[in-house]
Amino acid sequence: MLASSRQRAQDVPTEKSEFQSLIVSPASSDAAETNTNCNSICVCVYLTFSLTAFVFSARQLTVQMMQNPQILAALQERLDGLNGSTSGYMESLPKVVKRRVNALKNLQVKCAHIEAKFYEEVHELERKYAALYQPLFDKRSDIVKAAYEPTDEECEWKIDEEEELTDEMKEKAKLEEEKKDEEKEDPKGIPEFWLTVFKNVDLLSDMLQEHDEAILKHLQDIKVIFSAPGQPMSFTLEFLFEANDFFTNTVLTKTYKMRAEPDESDPFSFDGPEIMCCTGCTIEWTKGKNVTLKTIKKKQKHKGRGTVRTVTKTVPNDSFFNFFTPPEDFEIGHFIRERIVPRAVLYFTGEAIEDDDDDYDEEGEEADDEEGEEEADEENDPDYDPKVSLHVPPLKISGVLTKTLLSRSQLHWLRVLFPKSEAVLTVGH
């Protein structure tokens, strides 16, 4: 068997000349058609071997290049130099055309200032309608904290036709509810209303820790306060708490300051009001109740005597209440203002969550599937060697953003070479 295997191996052509001899030397004139098919197969096999060898060599060469610090430094310098660069098209235009383009850009700046006025008026409308919403939100708060008991008329909710129940089922459901009410104490208001809202929203639930929940059970309301007329544009989130054992504050605040006009140094980047910074507040924690800190014990060994002592240290702890010692969490503040406060009951019931899910398509899932297919292709590649895989350090591709005009092919290879880069690469426009 070993001899026959060697014989078959010797029969396989491995050099270009052997393939050529097979192609140009048919076995006989009677077998021309068969020989043509064989020639095609041989060409395909040869090209496949050649391409595989090329890809493997290219991969090895790329790995070697990426491990060379001089090449990495040169590439980093080149990428840094792309900051603010253009495609070269503008430079190629005649001077008279460039002059007209500058006129268009001046018109665009004027458009940006008009847009800023538009958003100022929108802010005035927000302030006006916030005053109309507030009595409803106050009543919502009173119901939640049991300061007001809604009437039967206010509690009547029209059921959709699909949810219509027969009289018999309604009576049965009513009896079951009455039985449950008899078995347990009468709850006040809507217990854990805001805690449930937070748990139902991924953006907020990711911030919650188990030790936060006991505190958030005391949260009674969240308000949005807009800046006064004539003042710089801003808004403040007020978190109102009932008396509790954790801190003495009754209100915790977070203020977001906004820029409502174009930046003179970059007017074309203006796309409406932008949150520029935020400030929190000081939480007056009860002694031993500060959940943003934790105490750890560490053992230290004396270098000379060899004795061991235990040292107690206070270190930061993960908590939702770090929200009030601001990191730059503009997205969270905007989301609470725009979605959570106006539609709190729908996040409590979960109905708003379903609406949010409908806003997203399945492109991300398709992309994940494509990545999985690529990984599977690599694993199935007989020439793939994980030891020779491309390991690229997380270079900082500064400036390669929307202001840099790069072709889609250039961006493709930058993403391939730098999958862990800190910049988000996009096609310039």
Side-chain angles (χ1 to χ4, degrees), residues 109 113 259 261-270:
V109 172
H113 285 284
R259 183 178 66 193
E261 63 282 336
D263 185 353
E264 292 183 3
S265 62
D266 187 15
F268 304 133
S269 65
F270 182 72

Side-chain angles (χ1 to χ4, degrees), residues 219-425:
L219 178 59
Q220 294 183 319
D221 199 11
I222 303 177
K223 292 184 177 181
V224 179
I225 308 298
F226 290 97
S227 53
Q231 295 297 316
M233 190 180 294
S234 67
F235 68 91
T236 299
L237 299 177
E238 292 187 350
F239 294 74
L240 283 68
F241 287 83
E242 65 181 351
N244 60 80
D245 297 332
F246 298 92
F247 45 72
T248 58
N249 311 63
T250 56
V251 181
L252 301 181
T253 62
K254 184 81 169 279
T255 300
Y256 294 83
K257 296 181 180 179
M258 307 170 72
R259 183 178 66 193
E261 63 282 336
D263 185 353
E264 292 183 3
S265 62
D266 187 15
F268 304 133
S269 65
F270 182 72
D271 192 25
E274 179 183 4
I275 297 176
M276 300 304 297
C277 63
C278 55
T279 55
C281 66
T282 300
I283 302 178
E284 303 295 339
W285 293 100
T286 303
K287 186 176 180 180
K289 298 288 187 176
N290 188 346
V291 295
T292 64
L293 298 174
K294 63 180 178 180
T295 302
I296 61 172
K297 294 182 179 181
K298 296 184 67 175
K299 291 184 177 181
Q300 294 181 342
K301 187 175 182 180
H302 193 279
K303 294 181 179 179
R305 297 191 297 270
T307 55
V308 178
R309 67 173 182 176
T310 301
V311 178
T312 301
K313 294 180 63 176
T314 301
V315 297
N317 191 28
D318 291 336
S319 169
F320 165 77
F321 291 90
N322 290 322
F323 175 77
F324 299 98
T325 308
E328 300 296 307
D329 52 9
F330 300 159
E331 179 187 3
I332 296 172
H334 181 75
F335 189 82
I336 292 175
R337 165 194 161 175
E338 292 289 327
R339 307 299 288 272
I340 299 298
V341 172
R343 310 176 71 198
V345 65
L346 301 182
Y347 283 99
F348 177 82
T349 62
E351 293 166 87
I353 302 166
E354 295 173 3
D355 293 341
D356 289 345
D357 291 340
D358 292 340
D359 293 339
Y360 294 90
D361 52 30
E362 298 181 357
E363 290 181 0
E365 295 179 6
E366 292 176 2
D368 291 341
D369 292 342
E370 291 175 3
E371 291 177 4
E373 289 175 5
E374 291 177 2
E375 292 176 0
D377 290 341
E378 285 188 348
E379 293 175 358
N380 295 330
D381 183 359
D383 295 317
Y384 174 69
D385 184 357
K387 296 180 180 178
V388 195
S389 59
L390 182 60
H391 295 286
V392 182
L395 297 181
K396 295 181 179 179
I397 308 179
S398 59
V400 188
L401 297 170
T402 54
K403 296 180 185 176
T404 302
L405 300 179
L406 298 175
S407 69
R408 292 187 182 276
S409 60
Q410 287 173 319
L411 286 171
H412 169 74
W413 287 111
L414 279 173
R415 289 192 181 100
V416 169
L417 289 173
F418 303 102
K420 297 181 180 179
S421 67
E422 296 180 6
V424 178
L425 303 180

Side-chain angles (χ1 to χ4, degrees), residues 12 101 134 244 307:
V12 177
V101 171
Q134 196 55 51
N244 60 80
T307 55

